[in-house]
Amino acid sequence: MPSISHQTLIVAIQAVASEIRSLRAALAEGDAEPEEYQLLEDRIRAAEDLERAYDEAARTVLNLPPYDELVGN
């Protein structure tokens, strides 16, 4: 896996989580375009990859915030 800073990883997690929330809201309201369903699936897969990378980083880096806090859970 390419090396990125922990801060960049945190920002990416927060950005993808925000996009997932927005896409889910649009789908729930019925305002979504057909391609937004695929976008949501792509973002969910990206979030899963980011969570795995974050879990790996959390094993060696002290004081990282909890993942659920980053994604707004």
Side-chain angles (χ1 to χ4, degrees):
M1 178 175 158
S3 178
I4 60 172
S5 74
H6 301 112
Q7 187 59 37
T8 300
L9 181 59
I10 289 170
V11 170
I13 289 167
Q14 292 171 326
V16 170
S18 176
E19 194 165 345
I20 288 171
R21 283 191 299 275
S22 295
L23 287 166
R24 284 183 172 157
L27 293 172
E29 294 173 9
D31 296 336
E33 298 295 324
E35 61 270 5
E36 288 179 304
Y37 289 93
Q38 183 61 49
L39 280 175
L40 178 59
E41 288 180 29
D42 294 344
R43 296 318 180 260
I44 289 171
R45 279 193 296 278
E48 291 167 352
D49 289 345
L50 289 167
E51 184 174 11
R52 280 190 295 276
Y54 192 79
D55 287 344
E56 187 175 316
R59 291 185 197 125
T60 59
V61 178
L62 298 176
N63 300 324
L64 286 177
Y67 182 84
D68 286 343
E69 187 176 300
L70 296 176
V71 297
N73 289 344

